[in-house]
């Protein structure tokens, strides 16, 4: 260990070069990871931030909330099924909003997702600022905090497109985004009155997009047999059905892992060249009695120290970058991800030095005599 | 008897289809406190001799005994341990580790044996002092002159308190004056610390410091007439 550190300090220039590569790679890995998490939150937040087992949706809706409509009275029956602990109907449609009284001006219109949930269900959003809906008052909304970046504040009065009503933002929640848009939450009863009427009003009041089911080992087989036109999708299936989510996520993951693989090769080659340059040195150590184990331990601990320091610098730079990122940028760095990718990067560096280890065991101590006879 | 003994050692190399005999039926015995020189032109088998004596290479035939222990059939790991504990090597161009200070060059030997104690540090300092290097402890090899580097190499070879000292052309990179100094100091250390030492060289000027001189020509070893009587 000491030997490793002494060499690191002595040949600073050379090791700073390699360290810099690891710093840049880890920096990029963390940024990509943060961007990936941020984007997937933006795309799936309302669902992915909620604990649930699955969802009962309309058959043929391909597990997509936006294409589905079911009768909310089904919730009662679902609640009685094996493994189900709770249910919550959810209803949503996309719309756009603007501040009250700006209809004729050039003021910005913001796309949003309107979501109706039962006030006492587990889908009720957590308030981080402001107040909950007052049951005595109508037309109150809880907005996702990302709308603050669009200039909205508590108490603002807003109007929705094509809906002849005014709403007040009473509270903010966070990480509640869907389809890359901010959510506006309404109590289910208010929500059901919003939709432009298309006929049977009574039936319409009972129609929701889906029913979210909580529980362990949920078994809805008997229920589904008795019902036509509905099906059950797991949490994963319903999240994957969100338009664009899978493609977006897969692209970023592919970039991340390619980066890791490339870095493994770059570092492997670097360490190999370094080992090659030190063949004579290792030969001398062997000639004066150094065992393979001693030399290999020294080399690996050197790679480990170098990578550890570099990855830590990479983490530092990443958090520094976050400070300068614009608020609206979908960037979310999860500590668990940073830890996982750091460990992967460390493992990659150490593994990539294993080529060199093979090389070291093959060095003949005779090279120390410095002549081939 | 402590010391090193080579008994009827032969080494053959295969090169393409030809067989080259690098050493032929070489026998030599060096006791503790003896300083022996092996002289010969290049290609005469000097290096092969030193490699075999230094447990770096196995002979085709014959036996090597170090402190009466037959190491001929030792495996790579055991040979490495023999080199670490019983042999001190002084290599041609000093071959110091570039990123270690003069003191650390010596201590690394102890490190490879396990750990470095206070006594080891004191011993290393004493060795450096004996060789006139007490003010250079914290210098790196590139800050030392050729003679100084070679003296560090000598000190390093004594560091593990070996029974055998093997030197491979220790003066090849030094001028005459420095060469004499280095070999003289080596001889002194061999005598005071009672080691069995073999120096391979082609430098005739250095032979005055040696107890016995062997000449090696085409892999055959014979004792020089000058020293033959004394040993008999």
């Amino acid at each position: 260990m000491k030997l490793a550190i002494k060499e690191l300090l002595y040949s600073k220039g050379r090791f700073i070069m390699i360290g810099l590569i690891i710093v840049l790679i880890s920096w990029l890995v963390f940024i990509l990871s943060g961007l990936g998490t941020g984007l997937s939150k933006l795309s799936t937040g309302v669902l992915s931030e909620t604990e649930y087992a699955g969802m009962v949706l309309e058959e043929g809706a391909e597990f997509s909330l936006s294409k589905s409509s079911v009768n909310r009275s089904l919730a009662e029956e679902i609640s009685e099924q094996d493994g189900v602990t709770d249910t919550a109907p959810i209803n949503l449609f996309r719309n756009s909003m603007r501040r009250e009284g700006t209809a004729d001006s050039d003021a910005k219109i913001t796309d949003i997702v309107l979501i109706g949930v039962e006030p006492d269900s587990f889908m009720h959003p957590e308030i981080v600022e402001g107040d909950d809906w007052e049951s005595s008052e109508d037309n109150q909304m809880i907005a996702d905090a990302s709308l603050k970046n669009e200039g909205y504040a508590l108490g603002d009065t807003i109007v929705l497109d094509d809906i002849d009503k005014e709403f007040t933002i009473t509270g903010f929640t966070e990480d509640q985004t869907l389809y890359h848009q901010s959510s506006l939450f309404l109590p289910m009863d208010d929500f059901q009155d919003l939709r432009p009427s298309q006929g049977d009003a009574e039936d319409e009041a009972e129609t929701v997009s889906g029913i979210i089911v909580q529980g362990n080992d949920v078994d809805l087989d008997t229920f589904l047999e008795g019902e036509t036109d509905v099906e059950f999708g797991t949490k994963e299936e319903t999240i994957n059905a969100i338009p664009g989510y899978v493609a977006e996520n897969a692209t970023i993951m592919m970039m991340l892992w390619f980066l890791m693989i490339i870095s493994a090769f770059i570092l492997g080659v670097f360490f190999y060249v370094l080992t090659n340059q030190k063949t004579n040195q290792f030969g001398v150590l062997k000639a004066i009695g150094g065992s393979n184990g001693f030399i290999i331990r020294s080399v690996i601990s050197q790679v480990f120290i170098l990578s550890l320091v570099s990855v830590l610098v990479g983490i530092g730079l990443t958090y520094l970058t976050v400070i300068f990122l614009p608020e609206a940028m979908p960037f979310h760095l999860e500590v668990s991800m940073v830890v996982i990718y750091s460990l992967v990067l460390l493992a990659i560096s150490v593994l990539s030095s294993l080529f060199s280890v093979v090389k070291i065991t093959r060095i003949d101590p005779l090279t120390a005599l410095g002549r081939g006879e | 008897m402590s010391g090193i003994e080579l008994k009827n050692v032969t080494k053959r190399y295969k090169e393409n289809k030809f067989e080259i005999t690098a050493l032929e039926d070489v026998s030599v015995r060096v006791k503790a406190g003896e300083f022996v020189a092996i002289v010969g032109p290049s290609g005469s088998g000097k290096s092969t001799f030193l490699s075999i004596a230094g447990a770096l290479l196995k002979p085709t035939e014959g036996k090597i005994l170090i402190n009466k222990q037959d190491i001929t059939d030792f495996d790579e790991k055991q040979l490495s341990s023999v080199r670490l504990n019983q042999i001190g090597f002084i290599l041609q161009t000093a071959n110091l580790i570039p990123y270690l200070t003069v003191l650390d060059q010596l201590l690394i030997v102890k490190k490879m044996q396990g750990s470095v104690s206070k006594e080891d540090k004191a011993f290393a300092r004493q060795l450096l002092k004996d060789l006139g290097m007490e003010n250079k402890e914290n210098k790196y090899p590139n800050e030392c002159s050729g003679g100084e580097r070679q003296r560090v190499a000598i000190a390093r070879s004594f560091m593990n308190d070996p029974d055998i000292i093997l030197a491979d052309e220790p003066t090849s990179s030094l001028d005459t004056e420095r060469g004499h100094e280095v070999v003289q100091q080596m001889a002194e250390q061999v005598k005071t610390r009672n080691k069995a030492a073999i120096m391979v060289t082609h430098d005739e000027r250095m032979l005055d410091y040696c107890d016995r001189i062997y000449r090696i020509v085409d892999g055959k070893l014979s004792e020089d007439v000058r020293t033959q009587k004394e040993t008999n």
Side-chain angles (χ1 to χ4, degrees), chain A residues 190-258:
Chain A
D190 288 359
F191 185 94
Q192 298 302 72
D193 296 339
L194 291 184
R195 286 202 128 150
S197 192
Q198 297 171 331
D200 191 343
E202 209 162 295
D203 193 29
E204 207 163 88
E206 288 303 300
T207 301
V208 294
S209 302
I211 293 159
I212 301 180
V213 182
Q214 271 187 336
N216 296 314
D217 303 318
V218 172
D219 179 11
L220 294 181
D221 287 354
T222 44
F223 162 77
L224 291 172
E225 265 170 43
E227 288 291 330
T228 49
D229 298 338
V230 291
E231 59 187 346
F232 179 76
T234 61
K235 182 172 183 181
E236 198 189 342
E237 283 168 329
T238 50
I239 287 179
N240 286 344
I242 291 173
Y245 168 69
V246 172
E248 195 176 274
N249 205 38
T251 311
I252 288 186
M253 285 319 258
M254 193 187 74
M255 286 198 276
L256 258 176
W257 289 106
F258 258 78

Side-chain angles (χ1 to χ4, degrees), chain B residues 40-153:
Chain B
S42 62
S44 58
K46 281 183 306 192
S47 279
T48 308
F49 174 88
L50 201 75
S51 306
I52 288 175
L56 290 169
L57 200 65
K58 289 186 172 200
T60 317
E61 283 166 29
K63 276 187 193 318
I64 300 112
L65 294 115
I66 289 180
N67 293 337
K68 284 186 184 159
Q69 189 186 27
D70 188 348
I71 65 156
T72 318
D73 297 318
F74 275 21
D75 65 23
E76 189 42 55
K77 227 177 178 164
Q78 288 170 305
L79 289 176
S80 172
S81 152
V82 166
R83 292 198 297 269
L84 182 58
N85 297 303
Q86 285 169 291
I87 297 175
F89 250 115
I90 301 164
L91 299 162
Q92 201 167 16
T93 49
N95 273 326
L96 302 175
I97 309 299
Y99 50 86
L100 293 181
T101 61
V102 165
L103 186 64
D104 284 335
Q105 301 281 348
L106 273 56
L107 296 179
I108 190 175
V109 175
K110 282 289 159 189
K111 194 116 204 225
M112 291 192 297
Q113 284 179 331
S115 58
V116 181
S117 67
K118 257 190 187 153
E119 290 77 41
D120 295 332
K121 272 192 185 165
F123 181 56
R125 291 211 166 90
Q126 183 59 44
L127 276 171
L128 289 172
K129 199 178 166 202
D130 289 350
L131 290 158
M133 293 284 292
E134 64 262 50
N135 299 323
K136 309 273 179 180
E137 273 174 21
N138 296 318
K139 296 259 185 258
Y140 287 98
N142 63 355
E143 298 166 330
C144 295
S145 69
E148 286 170 344
R149 280 204 286 269
Q150 205 53 269
R151 273 183 268 176
V152 176

Side-chain angles (χ1 to χ4, degrees), chain A residues 4 42 109 120 143 164 180 182 188 211 218 227 334:
Chain A
L42 198 58
I109 301 173
D120 52 357
D164 191 20
H180 294 118
S182 310
M188 188 62 93
I211 293 159
V218 172
E227 288 291 330
E334 275 177 352

